[in-house]
């Protein structure tokens, strides 16, 4: 008999809807995807400031920060990347239940993995935001020096170089960072979502 068969989900009186009512806005996951260096973390940070200033209760989950703690033991194999995202999705789901707007900035390169994330969180609580920045531009920026290391073979399985990136087919929002600054990108997203958050 598996351990799972001995686990029963408990339904509590205070639920996600009641927490959202208390905060006066809906809870949702804003899932930022794009190549390394595309601007996901910067834009989500700017957006969180805008939401916070508007009285929206938020939490930001970022790829590097998560790998320093919760997912410290995971590498960058296909299996580890999938497990990395599965754990993040489960955490984001808990935060949605807590009534928060969760900003999640992760490369999440494969469509099937992002679909898994959406399934765990729930389609109604998931908004995919594609930070569209070309590989050439990301390499030019190379903020963390990762592309240089990937080109020399120092970093294996690096998205865009030795591992694939599959752009979203129909993202809820698409931002081209070669046309907009991080501040302009954050403001553009804010304007598209704020009414939806408040009219919960």
């Amino acid at each position: 008999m598996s351990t799972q068969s001995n686990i029963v989900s408990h339904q509590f009186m205070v639920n996600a809807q009641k927490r959202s009512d208390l905060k006066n806005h809906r809870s949702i996951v804003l899932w930022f995807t794009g190549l390394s260096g595309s601007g996901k973390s910067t834009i989500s940070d700017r957006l969180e400031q805008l939401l916070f200033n508007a009285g929206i209760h938020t939490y930001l989950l970022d790829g590097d920060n998560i790998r320093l703690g919760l997912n410290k033991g995971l590498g960058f194999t296909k299996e580890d990347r999938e497990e990395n995202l599965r754990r993040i999705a489960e955490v984001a789901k808990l935060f949605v239940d807590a009534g928060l707007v969760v900003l999640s900035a992760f490369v999440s390169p494969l469509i099937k993995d992002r679909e898994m994330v959406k399934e765990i969180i729930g389609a109604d609580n998931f908004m995919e935001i594609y930070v569209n920045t070309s590989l050439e531009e990301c390499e030019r920026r190379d903020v963390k020096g990762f592309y240089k290391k990937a080109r020399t073979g120092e970093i294996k399985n690096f998205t865009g170089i030795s591992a694939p990136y599959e752009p979203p087919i129909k993202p809820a929002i698409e931002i081209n960072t070669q046309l907009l600054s991080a501040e302009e990108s954050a403001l553009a997203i804010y304007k598209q979502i704020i009414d939806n958050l408040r009219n919960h």
Side-chain angles (χ1 to χ4, degrees):
M1 183 180 289
S2 72
T3 353
Q4 291 292 326
S5 62
N6 295 323
I7 298 173
V8 179
S9 176
H10 193 92
Q11 301 303 311
F12 296 101
M13 288 186 287
V14 178
N15 57 24
Q17 184 59 56
K18 289 181 180 178
R19 295 185 186 103
S20 288
D21 290 344
L22 179 66
K23 291 175 169 56
N24 203 30
H25 64 77
R26 70 170 295 196
S27 57
I28 193 171
V29 174
L30 305 174
W31 190 272
F32 292 79
T33 178
L35 292 167
S36 177
S38 61
K40 299 179 301 300
S41 296
T42 306
I43 293 169
S44 56
D45 182 36
R46 302 289 190 280
L47 177 59
E48 185 178 33
Q49 291 178 57
L50 291 172
L51 293 170
F52 181 84
N53 291 339
I56 305 294
H57 297 244
T58 62
Y59 197 84
L60 200 161
L61 298 170
D62 178 76
D64 287 345
N65 292 351
I66 290 288
R67 281 185 173 275
L68 289 171
L70 177 68
N71 292 344
K72 192 174 181 178
L74 296 176
F76 290 91
T77 64
K78 186 179 174 184
E79 294 74 21
D80 278 0
R81 283 179 168 220
E82 185 176 334
E83 176 60 14
N84 180 55
L85 293 176
R86 188 196 67 77
R87 292 183 193 179
I88 291 159
E90 294 289 359
V91 169
K93 182 180 178 181
L94 291 174
F95 283 156
V96 165
D97 191 52
L100 302 178
V101 171
V102 186
L103 300 92
S104 302
F106 299 93
V107 175
S108 45
L110 302 181
I111 290 172
K112 73 172 185 64
D113 288 345
R114 294 195 299 270
E115 285 297 316
M116 170 194 69
V117 168
K118 180 164 72 172
E119 187 176 336
I120 290 170
I121 294 167
D124 291 343
N125 297 321
F126 178 88
M127 182 180 287
E128 187 176 52
I129 300 173
Y130 176 31
V131 182
N132 186 350
T133 309
S134 69
L135 175 61
E136 293 71 26
E137 177 62 16
C138 289
E139 280 203 76
R140 188 190 67 75
R141 296 174 185 175
D142 205 8
V143 186
K144 301 170 185 173
F146 290 160
Y147 284 99
K148 186 177 179 181
K149 290 180 179 178
R151 288 291 185 191
T152 59
E154 196 176 333
I155 298 179
K156 307 293 183 187
N157 300 315
F158 191 78
T159 302
I161 305 298
S162 48
Y165 178 79
E166 298 171 354
I169 298 166
K170 287 185 179 178
I173 298 174
E174 181 171 342
I175 293 292
N176 187 329
T177 67
Q178 287 160 259
L179 300 177
L180 300 173
S181 68
E183 288 73 17
E184 290 168 335
S185 298
L187 185 58
I189 298 168
Y190 175 84
K191 287 178 177 177
Q192 290 186 64
I193 66 172
I194 189 63
D195 288 343
N196 179 269
L197 294 178
R198 285 181 169 146
N199 299 327
H200 68 294

